[in-house]
Amino acid sequence: LQQSNLLDAAPMDTSELADLLTEQVAVGTVLKSGGKEEPALAYLSCLSLQQHKASASLRQLQGVLLKQCPAPQRTHMERLLTGAQGGTALLVNERLVNVPDPLLAPMHRSLQDDLKWAIKHAGSEDERKAFRVDHFVAIVRCERGTRDEAHARGAGKRSKHHPASAREEVVAAV
């Protein structure tokens, strides 16, 4: 989030989000190449927007998302972010550039398995409800124009939005 252009105009305390993610031990995947001392290569988890609606960081992020959302989709996005259309979770996904693409789909399947496990083993109905996710909101860097135009022109103004890399397209397909 801190590296995305989305938050350039809105500084945010992402440490609260990190705390929420680390406190949620039932859901999430860390990909490493070695033992406990090795750095993580990739991380994937999600946070229930309804369960954590009191979080100042998530409320601020929701405000930024709504502000940047195109007007025709804003009502739909607001319904997703408030849970009016079922359980919605913020998908948190970070990885090193050199993580092989074939590992992305298994990581997302693992997250789905984690959610099923968390629902089955939750201590209360409120916890079960928090892990019932109907929609994910993912923040993905996008570029404008066709992929060929983006490569040919490099930086600059483009007209049509698309994921910045083929990796985001793989994630969107899962």
Side-chain angles (χ1 to χ4, degrees):
L1 287 174
Q2 291 176 326
Q3 296 174 358
S4 74
N5 294 337
L6 177 74
L7 300 180
D8 284 350
M12 179 187 302
D13 177 17
T14 54
S15 64
E16 182 188 25
L17 294 177
D19 289 344
L20 291 173
L21 287 163
T22 56
E23 291 166 3
Q24 178 180 272
V25 296
V27 175
T29 299
V30 176
L31 178 65
K32 294 179 143 199
S33 66
K36 289 184 178 184
E37 301 303 316
E38 293 295 319
L41 302 175
Y43 177 79
L44 178 66
S45 191
C46 64
L47 287 172
S48 166
L49 297 181
Q50 289 71 46
Q51 179 185 26
H52 300 292
K53 61 185 171 192
S55 161
S57 293
L58 282 176
R59 282 196 320 271
Q60 185 180 18
L61 179 61
Q62 290 171 339
V64 171
L65 291 172
L66 287 172
K67 183 178 177 184
Q68 301 227 358
C69 186
Q73 289 85 29
R74 195 167 294 134
T75 300
H76 178 66
M77 177 64 84
E78 189 168 12
R79 291 178 51 79
L80 285 173
L81 295 176
T82 61
Q85 289 188 234
T88 303
L90 173 66
L91 187 68
V92 179
N93 181 23
E94 191 59 48
R95 62 193 174 277
L96 295 177
V97 173
N98 62 349
V99 171
D101 289 341
L103 295 177
L104 299 179
M107 286 185 68
H108 283 263
R109 280 192 292 279
S110 177
L111 179 62
Q112 291 293 329
D113 292 344
D114 288 351
L115 289 167
K116 289 175 189 172
W117 185 93
I119 290 168
K120 184 177 180 180
H121 294 91
S124 70
E125 182 55 34
D126 285 342
E127 286 181 37
R128 277 188 285 284
K129 187 177 179 182
F131 293 118
R132 288 188 185 110
V133 178
D134 300 311
H135 308 281
F136 288 100
V137 173
I139 298 173
V140 179
R141 188 185 60 192
C142 291
E143 296 178 352
R144 295 176 189 220
T146 66
R147 189 166 308 287
D148 292 339
E149 288 172 344
H151 290 293
R153 294 193 301 181
K157 297 194 181 230
R158 297 176 179 100
S159 58
K160 184 178 174 186
H161 286 87
H162 64 82
S165 73
R167 297 183 138 211
E168 277 77 17
E169 287 180 8
V170 169
V171 169
V174 172

